[in-house]
Structure formats: structure tokens, C-alpha cells
Amino acid sequence: MSEPLILGIESSCDETGIGIVRGNDLLANEVASSMEQHIRFGGVVPEVASRAHLEAVVPVLEAAVAKADIDLSQVDGIAVTAGPGLMGALVVGLSAAKALAGWLNKPLYGVNHLAGHVAVDLLEHGDLPMPCGALLVSGGHTSLLSVTSIADGITEVGSTIDDAAGEAYDKVARLLGLPYPGGPVIDRAAAEGDPTAIHFPRGLTARHDMAKHRFDYSFSGLKTSVSRWVETEQQAGREVPINDVAASFQEAVADVLTAKAVDLCGHYGLKHFLIGGGVAANSRLRTLLAERMDDAGVELRRPRPGLCTDNGAMIAALGVQVVKAGLRPSAMDISADSGLPVTRVLV
């Protein structure tokens, strides 16, 4: 039996992504971003994002079909992000997927955006050994997962109790006077700074925190610590060393993210681990996690940076796994769920 050919639609935030995947082979991955429209607001504006999806979805679909060199009638199913994400943005993608599925008379699969960040690794490194651990780190989510099946076996072991890592990057960039989005600009600034210049706190790593939040994250206190340090320097009339602050902040984030990931693997006896989500493209995080996993004897899988950010390929890849697992298609009247938990892969 040939591998499933799945078209995936992603519209959970500010990227309109269409991906086409056959098995673990990526045929097309077209993305239109509305990031430039949000920069002047310092963050994603839901209404602006929704309108951008409306304008982009058809041209992006046409580009993906042309790139894959297929006819839409050939696809075996339509996978689409049903959540989590911005409600208005999700509705645009879900509506497009329903229209396509109805027109083509193909099954619809409303899937989980976060699980897509796990599945996308298969497009680069092939089938994932099970069980494995995963770290999903983005602007809205920071989670440690135990995975026994991508289609129906994802357990959230730990998560952030306040700010997500990507959110902390954006807020620290803003207080340093750096542009949005904060992740890439802080990564670049950190490359010119000293990560040991300032010791910022590592949230939820004290002994009393570990008893209750061993695998959880917290970045709100780190953000506040950076803010107070910068304020103190400014009040004293000293120039703020932006590169050193960026490097020290980034080191604190990468340190706690990787330490808890390694601890997860040791606790559960996991020998395979992957990282996904937009912040997974961060250079220091990728390097430190690789070093620590190697020391722990754990195989680390890291999708290339272009597959870490939101895209349709990850949704198509997840759709393939759902089809291969024999799960029933979604009903045509499913609704978007902005708070969909990662444990629910298929709606």
C-alpha cells in the first residue's frame, strides 16, 4: 500500500502555511507570514492576523500544489490545525480545509498544532524511535512531553506555569529597546555578548520548587529580574550593555530548558529526544541541548530551523501519522479550539 498523500493547512497565529507530504517525504511547504504587519504593535494582533490569512490562503495553496506537482484530486485527506491558537486565525484555516474536503470529497482531519511540531521531525530524520521525550518551546507554549505514539500517545509531563519562553524573549527585547519578534534579535545580540556577565535566576530549580514543579518552567521571574537590573543601571546613569544582557538572559533560558529536558530523560529512561517549536531555532538552545544530551547518552533530533516555526508541512506530517494509525476522520462540523491540550491530537 502506498504512503498517504496529505495536504496540511496551518493558520494558528501569523503564518499561513500549506504543506503537502507523502509518507515522510516533503513535497511542498509554502508559507506566507503577516509578521511585518504586527511589528509596529509589538506583538500579534488577532484581527490583523485573521485578515492576512483570508488574503493568503488561496495563493499559498496554489503555490504548494504547483511546487508538489500534483492534482488536488490525488490527495488522500486534508489535515488542518484545529487548535490551539488564535480563534479567529484558526477559523480561517479550518473553514478553508472544510471547503476543500467537501469539494474534493476527501476526509478531514482536525489536528493539534503542538503535536505537529513533534511530527515534523519525521520529514527530516524518518520514523521516530519510541518511546521518546520532546521539548516544545515557542511564543505561546513551553512543554515537556513523553511520546509513545505521535497519533495517540502524547503525555504532557511539564509545562510553563506563567510566561512561555518565546513570550519572555519578546518582553525582554522590548525593555532593551530591540524590535519584535524578540527571539531572533536577542539571539543575534547574544552572539556579541558575554553569557556570564550577569547571573539571572533559573526559575523553578530550587530544591523546594523541584518537589512540586520538577518538570515545569517559569520565566516570569527571569523577565522581572532582567527588568530590575536594567532599571538599576539606568538610574545609576550607566549605559546598559545590551549584548551582555541578551547573552546572560539567553543563557538562563537555555540552561533551565535543557537541564529539565535531560532530567526528564533520566527519570523516564528515555534514549531519544526531540525539540520543536519556534524557539527551537535558537542557536544557543540547540547547541547546549545537543551537548547535554550527548553527555547523557541520549540521541537528540533537531529539525532544521525552517521546520521549527509554524508551517503546513508539520500539519500534513501529523495527518499522515493519524491516517496510518487508522484513526477516524473528523466530522465536518468540528469547531476550532483555542485551548486544545496537546494530549488530544485529533479533534
Side-chain angles (χ1 to χ4, degrees):
M1 181 178 178
S2 62
E3 294 281 0
L5 178 65
I6 302 295
L7 184 146
I9 301 176
E10 155 60 22
S11 69
S12 64
C13 191
D14 58 347
E15 280 96 13
T16 308
I18 305 286
I20 300 175
V21 169
R22 186 189 300 277
N24 290 340
D25 295 328
L26 177 59
L27 306 183
N29 184 31
E30 299 296 317
V31 179
S33 175
S34 61
M35 179 65 70
E36 292 297 322
Q37 300 178 47
H38 303 285
I39 287 177
R40 66 190 179 100
F41 300 106
V44 176
V45 180
E47 178 63 20
V48 172
S50 299
R51 290 180 179 274
H53 289 307
L54 279 170
E55 295 172 358
V57 66
V58 172
V60 175
L61 173 63
E62 292 173 342
V65 172
K67 176 70 174 179
D69 192 24
I70 65 164
D71 187 279
L72 278 173
S73 63
Q74 296 176 270
V75 303
D76 297 307
I78 309 295
V80 60
T81 299
L86 302 174
M87 180 56 76
L90 291 169
V91 167
V92 175
L94 190 56
S95 298
K98 289 179 179 180
L100 273 177
W103 173 50
L104 297 170
N105 193 28
K106 302 292 184 178
L108 174 73
Y109 298 93
V111 298
N112 192 299
H113 169 89
L114 300 179
H117 281 301
V118 176
V120 75
D121 183 76
L122 277 65
L123 303 179
E124 193 157 21
H125 300 117
D127 289 341
L128 184 64
M130 297 295 177
C132 75
L135 170 63
L136 298 186
V137 55
S138 67
H141 304 277
T142 305
S143 302
L144 275 174
L145 310 176
S146 173
V147 184
T148 56
S149 166
I150 295 176
D152 57 3
I154 297 179
T155 301
E156 186 175 65
V157 181
S159 65
T160 179
I161 65 172
D162 43 54
D163 292 351
E167 183 181 0
Y169 267 89
D170 290 339
K171 291 178 177 178
V172 168
R174 187 179 303 119
L175 69 88
L176 291 177
L178 299 174
Y180 173 87
V185 293
I186 286 185
D187 199 7
R188 290 192 293 269
E192 305 298 325
D194 178 4
T196 66
I198 311 155
H199 181 76
F200 290 124
R202 275 61 169 164
L204 299 184
T205 58
R207 181 175 297 178
H208 65 277
D209 290 321
M210 291 292 284
K212 183 178 180 181
H213 295 289
R214 180 174 180 177
F215 299 116
D216 292 324
Y217 294 106
S218 171
F219 297 103
S220 179
L222 170 60
K223 172 202 65 182
T224 300
S225 180
V226 174
S227 177
R228 288 176 176 170
W229 193 93
V230 170
E231 183 180 5
T232 298
E233 294 299 293
Q234 292 173 334
Q235 289 177 345
R238 292 187 289 267
E239 182 179 354
V240 175
I242 291 177
N243 292 344
D244 286 348
V245 174
S248 299
F249 162 76
Q250 179 160 278
E251 191 67 19
V253 174
D255 185 17
V256 70
L257 284 174
T258 57
K260 294 203 174 204
V262 171
D263 187 26
L264 175 85
C265 291
H267 182 74
Y268 287 97
L270 303 174
K271 293 301 180 182
H272 304 277
F273 193 86
L274 69 85
I275 184 172
V279 182
N282 178 268
S283 63
R284 180 54 180 156
L285 176 58
R286 293 171 74 87
T287 299
L288 185 58
L289 187 60
E291 292 173 355
R292 288 181 167 177
M293 287 297 176
D294 185 60
D295 289 344
V298 177
E299 179 196 7
L300 175 64
R301 292 168 55 133
R302 299 173 295 177
R304 61 182 181 270
L307 290 179
C308 291
T309 52
D310 296 346
N311 59 81
M314 70 185 200
I315 302 305
L318 180 56
V320 167
Q321 296 304 307
V322 167
V323 170
K324 292 176 72 171
L327 303 185
R328 295 180 61 182
S330 305
M332 288 294 286
D333 62 351
I334 61 169
S335 300
D337 185 349
S338 62
L340 188 66
V342 67
T343 50
R344 189 179 179 192
V345 175
L346 179 65
V347 176

